[in-house]
Amino acid sequence: MAFFIASSPHSHNRKSTSDIMMMVLLCTLPGIAALCYFFGWGVLFQVAIASVTAILAEAAIVALRKRPIKRYLQDNSALLTGLLIGISIPPFAPWWIAVIGSLFAIVIAKHLYGGLGQNPFNPAMVAYVVLLISFPVQMTTWLPPVSLIAQPLGIMDSASSIFTGLSTDGFSVNQLRVAADGMTMATPLDTVKTALLAGNTVSEAVQLPVFDTFAGIGWGWVNLAFLVGGLALIKQRIIQWQIPTAMLGSLLVLSTIGYAVSPDAVISPVLHLFSGATMLGAFFIATDPVSASTTTKGRLVFGAMIGTLVYLIRTFGGFPDGVAFAVLIANMCVPLIDYYTKPTAYGYKKESK
């Protein structure tokens, strides 16, 4: 019998890496459908551009490394990376944003470290942070939800806006950001952050039209859809429950305490949990089997660390969301977390550190 040694990700559910990645891809579909319903066809275009770029970049790098291209592409890891990037960027960002992000994720954040199983950071989140820092205007230009948009957009309008910067009627993306009531729209978290910086209270900020529902129009349902997909992953034992539970639990506890102490300066726990990239981050990003903690106790520490950092960045930092930054900082700490939480082998006494 041959004995094979392979790098991570390792799984105990008897599914191949290809099957695991494909299951994760399928479980993102409810969230993608919700994003498309509330924010238009641009979501599908961004996912397609980022995914195709990621696959082509993977094939090119694997060919340069003189590795079997077909076998590497069949693990679906590049496809999943591209999909996560496409979900994360604004639906009507210029096409080259998705291309640059996918290239950076595959070439630099993944293969520069040796490929799948060797990368210490989540490639999609590395790409997102690089894009956010390098192109802050394009990465924060979100259109209003479809129900509030002043100029309805069809498929051709969406494609034209992404590839040329203008809709078929000649409206720029900045003009399309204006809602039917004449207000320029932003995400709920960004709206609250801007209002607080302007000296307003959270109570005043949530009176704006974008907060017509419990966590902002569209965003609450998008997060619920990713929650459903994440629970399906746990049920199928594709991911473990510790990381999302610890992340969401720590975010809930801290936001509840903060909101009880200062409700006019801190957003509510509901908005923390069901707006922005909270559920996407908890179930589809933080649980990356390569860059996340691998021990049972370590996953709890890792998840709690991410939830704490998300709360601190959203409350005291300059960025309205903070999930990507929190995940990358926690990725840096994984070797230390695993070292201090590794279980003692049966028959051995626990060594003092």
Side-chain angles (χ1 to χ4, degrees):
M1 181 184 295
F3 181 73
F4 295 98
I5 298 176
S7 61
S8 59
H10 303 297
S11 174
H12 299 285
N13 57 14
R14 298 184 180 180
K15 289 183 172 63
S16 66
T17 299
S18 176
D19 291 338
I20 292 172
M21 297 296 177
M22 183 55 65
M23 182 62 69
V24 175
L25 285 164
L26 292 175
C27 287
T28 62
L29 294 182
I32 294 175
L35 280 169
C36 290
Y37 180 81
F38 287 104
F39 299 101
W41 295 100
V43 176
L44 293 183
F45 283 106
Q46 298 293 354
V47 168
I49 295 169
S51 299
V52 170
T53 303
I55 292 172
L56 293 177
E58 179 93 348
I61 293 298
V62 169
L64 288 174
R65 297 178 62 189
K66 302 186 185 315
R67 304 292 176 85
I69 298 176
K70 183 177 179 180
R71 180 165 67 86
Y72 275 75
L73 292 182
Q74 284 179 337
D75 66 17
N76 294 318
S77 61
L79 178 60
L80 179 58
T81 298
L83 182 140
L84 292 175
I85 293 172
I87 293 173
S88 301
I89 62 180
F92 289 88
W95 63 271
W96 47 266
I97 288 287
V99 171
I100 292 174
S102 296
L103 287 174
F104 195 93
I106 299 299
V107 177
I108 305 298
K110 181 180 179 181
H111 281 284
L112 186 65
Y113 292 97
L116 182 65
Q118 308 297 323
N119 50 288
F121 303 103
N122 184 293
M125 290 301 95
V126 172
Y128 178 84
V129 168
V130 169
L131 291 173
L132 185 61
I133 294 174
S134 303
F135 310 104
V137 175
Q138 290 81 0
M139 288 296 291
T140 55
T141 305
W142 286 81
L143 265 63
V146 172
S147 60
L148 296 180
I149 196 168
Q151 301 292 333
L153 296 174
I155 297 179
M156 297 306 298
D157 287 306
S158 301
S160 179
S161 297
I162 292 171
F163 288 102
T164 69
L166 298 173
S167 69
T168 54
D169 293 326
F171 292 100
S172 68
V173 175
N174 284 332
Q175 290 174 318
L176 295 172
R177 289 185 68 195
V178 179
D181 59 1
M183 295 185 63
T184 300
M185 302 297 292
T187 64
L189 291 175
D190 192 39
T191 299
V192 173
K193 177 71 69 175
T194 302
L196 291 175
L197 292 175
N200 299 320
T201 64
V202 173
S203 300
E204 293 172 333
V206 297
Q207 300 303 315
L208 297 172
V210 73
F211 290 99
D212 189 44
T213 57
F214 66 99
I217 294 179
W219 289 102
W221 295 107
V222 167
N223 276 272
L224 283 173
F226 281 119
L227 172 61
V228 170
L231 293 177
L233 289 178
I234 293 177
K235 184 177 180 180
Q236 294 295 320
R237 299 186 66 185
I238 301 298
I239 64 174
Q240 302 296 320
W241 61 268
Q242 290 93 345
I243 291 176
T245 300
M247 175 182 165
L248 298 177
S250 61
L251 182 58
L252 174 62
V253 170
L254 291 174
S255 60
T256 301
I257 295 173
Y259 191 69
V261 172
S262 182
D264 287 334
V266 178
I267 62 177
S268 69
V270 173
L271 195 56
H272 267 296
L273 291 176
F274 294 100
S275 191
T278 302
M279 294 300 172
L280 175 65
F283 292 98
F284 295 92
I285 295 173
T287 55
D288 175 20
V290 177
S291 57
S293 180
T294 57
T295 67
T296 301
K297 292 180 180 178
R299 293 190 190 103
L300 292 172
V301 174
F302 180 78
M305 183 179 183
I306 294 175
T308 301
L309 289 169
V310 168
Y311 176 77
L312 293 176
I313 293 171
R314 287 178 176 179
T315 305
F316 305 106
F319 293 94
D321 201 328
V323 170
F325 292 96
V327 170
L328 294 181
I329 293 171
N331 287 159
M332 297 179 190
C333 301
V334 163
L336 188 65
I337 293 173
D338 284 352
Y339 178 77
Y340 282 101
T341 59
K342 64 182 178 182
T344 304
Y346 181 75
Y348 288 85
K349 292 183 180 180
K350 187 173 182 179
E351 297 179 1
S352 59
K353 305 299 183 185

